[in-house]
Amino acid sequence: MKKKIIIALLAAAALSSCGEYNKLLKSTDYEYKYEAAKNYFAKGKYGRAATLLNELITILKGTDKAEESLYMLGMSYYNQKDYSTAAQTFITYANTYPRGMFAELASYHAGKALYLDTPEPRLDQSGTYTAIQQLQTFLEYYPSSTKKQEAQTMIFALQDKLVMKELLSARLYYNLGNYMGNNYESCVITAQNALKDYPYTDYREDLSILILRAKYEMAINSIEEKKVDRYRETIDEYYAFKNEFPESKHLKEAERIFNESTKVIKD
């Protein structure tokens, strides 16, 4: 016990000198390095902690210090905002120590790291799906966790990011109009699929008005044999929109579309 205390004190002293840190890197006293890594971590010097821990996780494999070292390594990356590497480290921990003392936290932080690493909606959203899957896995394994609400909130935010991606795609189709094909139909299909997949999204109104606009444009540009049916579909869409969003900021536009559509059918 006395020896361990001395090693810990020496490791703490090493933090005060860059020269001592360089000596530490060359040292083969792995217990000394382990205590130094813990001290660096505690003082928020995560880069130095990660450098030492990367070496130690292999050397300490099979010992009682290996588990803590791997978790600290993950947190070191996480606190440096290297979320991709942090997530992979936490996942490695969860797979290696499924019943470990940090298993729940590792699973949670893996999901949160992936969440923080997701791109903006305009970019490829593969990472967003991965983050949702990891957070759902966390909730499945730890349904009573104190982190449950935070995990659910992150999932909802990630789902909204996916919906925004679909909304941007639908808007693009709408703006393309009849350029090289019927992009209005693609707009409707994209928006409807988003509503079907994420019925409680905050972007529901934006998707719905886009469907109404696109159906109206399809009616305007239809061949004569299909015009009446297309306008009737537009009118049906108007009623659905008005019933769901009676105080919508788009209501004036929706009523204009309705009036124009009704006029064509009556004529």
Side-chain angles (χ1 to χ4, degrees), residues 129-172:
Y129 286 107
T130 302
I132 290 173
Q133 184 178 25
Q134 177 60 42
L135 288 166
Q136 288 175 333
T137 297
F138 166 73
L139 290 173
E140 180 182 342
Y141 278 92
Y142 307 101
S144 301
S145 173
T146 56
K147 303 287 188 182
K148 177 181 179 179
Q149 187 58 53
E150 293 175 53
Q152 289 176 330
T153 298
M154 284 189 280
I155 289 173
F156 293 146
L158 291 168
Q159 288 177 337
D160 270 347
K161 185 173 284 192
L162 294 177
V163 178
M164 174 54 77
K165 172 78 171 177
E166 295 305 300
L167 177 59
L168 292 172
S169 295
R171 282 176 178 167
L172 177 60

Side-chain angles (χ1 to χ4, degrees), residues 210-222:
L210 205 52
I211 292 171
L212 177 59
R213 289 170 183 162
K215 285 194 171 184
Y216 178 56
E217 292 295 335
M218 286 171 64
I220 292 173
N221 292 282
S222 288

Side-chain angles (χ1 to χ4, degrees), residues 204-215:
R204 188 171 181 84
E205 183 178 344
D206 296 300
L207 290 162
S208 297
I209 189 63
L210 205 52
I211 292 171
L212 177 59
R213 289 170 183 162
K215 285 194 171 184

Side-chain angles (χ1 to χ4, degrees), residues 78-200:
Y78 181 88
N79 288 321
Q80 291 180 91
K81 302 187 187 317
D82 183 354
Y83 297 123
S84 178
T85 309
Q88 190 54 56
T89 305
F90 287 129
I91 291 170
T92 298
Y93 176 98
N95 292 335
T96 307
Y97 306 103
R99 299 182 183 277
M101 67 177 76
F102 304 108
E104 181 179 332
L105 285 172
S107 180
Y108 168 77
H109 278 109
K112 188 170 183 180
L114 290 168
Y115 163 78
L116 292 169
D117 200 43
T118 53
E120 62 169 303
R122 293 181 186 277
L123 302 177
D124 177 68
Q125 293 301 303
S126 299
T128 302
Y129 286 107
T130 302
I132 290 173
Q133 184 178 25
Q134 177 60 42
L135 288 166
Q136 288 175 333
T137 297
F138 166 73
L139 290 173
E140 180 182 342
Y141 278 92
Y142 307 101
S144 301
S145 173
T146 56
K147 303 287 188 182
K148 177 181 179 179
Q149 187 58 53
E150 293 175 53
Q152 289 176 330
T153 298
M154 284 189 280
I155 289 173
F156 293 146
L158 291 168
Q159 288 177 337
D160 270 347
K161 185 173 284 192
L162 294 177
V163 178
M164 174 54 77
K165 172 78 171 177
E166 295 305 300
L167 177 59
L168 292 172
S169 295
R171 282 176 178 167
L172 177 60
Y173 283 129
Y174 180 83
N175 290 333
L176 286 172
N178 288 318
Y179 177 71
M180 296 182 71
N182 185 359
N183 292 295
Y184 293 121
E185 185 174 10
S186 297
C187 169
V188 170
I189 292 171
T190 301
Q192 286 178 335
N193 285 339
L195 289 173
K196 181 180 178 181
D197 293 338
Y198 307 101
Y200 304 110

